Amino acid sequence: MVSEIRLFTELTFHEKAQQYSAVLSSRGVVVFIEQVEKLNARFLRLNPELALCVDEEGLWLCANGMKMQPDWIAEVGRLKRASLKSEMIARACNLGEKPKLIDATAGLGHDSLLMAHLGAEVTLVERHPILFTLLEDSKAKSKNDSFLASVVARIDLVFSDSNVYLQSQIDQKQMVDVVYLDPMFPQRDQNQQAIKKQAQVKKQMQLLHLLLPEDGEMDLGDQLLNLAKRMAKRVVVKRPRLAVFLDEQKPDHQWQGDACRFDAYFQNDLCN
Ligand SMILES: C[S@@+](CC[C@H](N)C(=O)[O-])C[C@H]1O[C@@H](n2cnc3c(N)ncnc32)[C@H](O)[C@@H]1O
């Protein structure tokens, strides 16, 4: 996992950059701040390596000439079009019941934002210190948005490895309605079709892949599934459409979409 990173900023945002640097260092990331004259497209093209940027829009990741942040405000249009009927994730996670839900693989938080918008009370868990800091920034900005303020009021962020977090919830006998898992998917997998889909991941996901550990080091979520099943009435796993089952465990039910599917595991003995 990235434990050292360069952070580019302009003179005007130097103080802000120092604040982010302090937060990141409290989470184990060593940050090297570099002041640049202009943080523009040309600069980003000439500095293709993965780095952070701080400007008027807060904290960003940049690489290969692109900038990326979990931009929740940019999701508002999509949220406004979404409904319990139209979204497969809503059926898979039973969002009509306004569940208490843990998203144990937060990433950019886009799935959780949608689920919170559709009624879930969501705890987002992310173990990557840079991604977590980006999420925190996105949540803070969303609080000032008239549409998102009520949505993010239903979102809690937890910086932790979910294996540890779920185990601590089990130890405290804290059950939830749903645990949602969208673990990283290995590049080398038994399923060639799934790899083809993987190559089509959106720009944002490409940057996410640069930040996260290589194949072999990343958490593929097998252990998370077993922990989740001990504390949630329903565990929902998002997978590329043709991917193998998580931990080779056959789900009780599936919802199939064009690019992805949701596998659900029900624990009837945990109901009430
Ligand atoms: C594919 S992304 C999730 C994308 C997310 N569903 C979204 O809408 O943006 C997987 C994320 O899970 C995180 N992750 C994987 N294993 C984890 C663990 N054991 N604990 C916490 N986070 C984990 C990774 O760091 C990565 O950010």
Side-chain angles (χ1 to χ4, degrees):
M1 215 178 285
V2 177
S3 57
E4 286 189 353
I5 195 154
R6 289 197 295 171
L7 187 158
F8 297 118
T9 192
E10 297 169 13
L11 176 61
T12 333
F13 306 106
H14 195 84
E15 206 180 312
K16 216 166 152 189
Q18 281 178 321
Q19 287 163 5
Y20 284 117
S21 168
V23 171
L24 284 160
S25 97
S26 74
R27 293 177 179 151
V29 184
V30 180
V31 178
F32 302 99
I33 300 180
E34 288 183 34
Q35 203 166 295
V36 299
E37 207 173 307
K38 266 262 154 280
L39 204 50
N40 52 16
R42 182 167 181 276
F43 173 83
L44 294 174
R45 263 200 320 277
L46 295 175
N47 289 275
E49 273 176 35
L50 185 71
L52 286 166
C53 305
V54 172
D55 64 10
E56 63 277 3
E57 288 177 56
L59 187 68
W60 294 80
L61 261 185
C62 64
N64 303 328
M66 300 184 288
K67 281 187 13 178
M68 182 281 265
Q69 64 180 174
D71 190 353
W72 290 2
I73 292 171
E75 292 288 297
V76 167
R78 158 148 171 65
L79 297 184
K80 284 184 175 166
R81 289 191 302 276
S83 70
L84 286 172
K85 272 197 179 156
S86 67
E87 297 293 333
M88 199 164 60
I89 197 171
R91 296 194 289 284
C93 295
N94 205 15
L95 299 181
E97 294 291 314
K98 303 200 180 309
K100 201 165 181 292
L101 182 149
I102 295 174
D103 177 347
T105 52
L108 303 175
H110 290 164
D111 289 339
S112 270
L113 188 67
L114 176 61
M115 293 194 279
H117 167 60
L118 293 175
E121 200 187 304
V122 184
T123 301
L124 265 167
V125 191
E126 176 56 56
R127 69 174 180 173
H128 195 292
I130 296 177
L131 265 178
F132 183 80
T133 308
L134 288 163
L135 280 172
E136 209 174 40
D137 205 36
S138 232
K139 183 179 171 189
K141 275 185 278 180
S142 303
K143 282 183 183 163
N144 302 323
D145 180 273
S146 56
F147 181 84
L148 287 179
S150 61
V151 178
V152 296
R154 286 195 290 279
I155 294 182
D156 273 333
L157 299 178
V158 175
F159 175 46
S160 171
D161 186 309
S162 285
N163 291 292
V164 176
Y165 180 76
L166 295 183
Q167 184 61 58
S168 75
Q169 297 298 104
I170 293 168
D171 293 345
Q172 294 166 50
K173 303 199 181 339
Q174 295 290 329
M175 304 296 143
V176 291
D177 300 306
V178 183
V179 171
Y180 178 78
L181 301 173
D182 176 14
M184 299 306 288
F185 194 69
Q187 301 288 333
R188 287 181 293 279
D189 191 85
Q190 302 91 313
N191 196 320
Q192 291 301 316
Q193 289 288 349
I195 294 168
K196 248 194 238 162
K197 289 277 177 202
Q198 184 82 15
Q200 296 161 9
V201 284
K202 290 191 293 187
K203 250 192 199 174
Q204 286 194 327
M205 288 313 262
Q206 288 174 21
L207 272 179
L208 191 63
H209 277 263
L210 285 179
L211 190 64
L212 296 174
E214 300 291 315
D215 287 8
E217 287 175 38
M218 61 169 74
D219 183 353
L220 301 179
D222 295 347
Q223 180 61 23
L224 290 178
L225 176 57
N226 292 317
L227 285 170
K229 284 168 85 173
R230 290 171 57 197
M231 60 156 319
K233 292 177 206 157
R234 178 184 292 228
V235 181
V236 176
V237 182
K238 183 181 185 182
R239 302 296 272 166
R241 192 169 70 90
L242 298 165
V244 291
F245 298 134
L246 186 57
D247 197 31
E248 297 177 10
Q249 295 190 40
K250 194 169 180 295
D252 299 310
H253 194 79
Q254 284 191 309
W255 286 264
Q256 287 277 1
D258 292 338
C260 74
R261 64 165 206 264
F262 295 100
D263 294 348
Y265 303 83
F266 304 122
Q267 280 62 245
N268 295 328
D269 48 337
L270 281 184
C271 295
N272 304 316

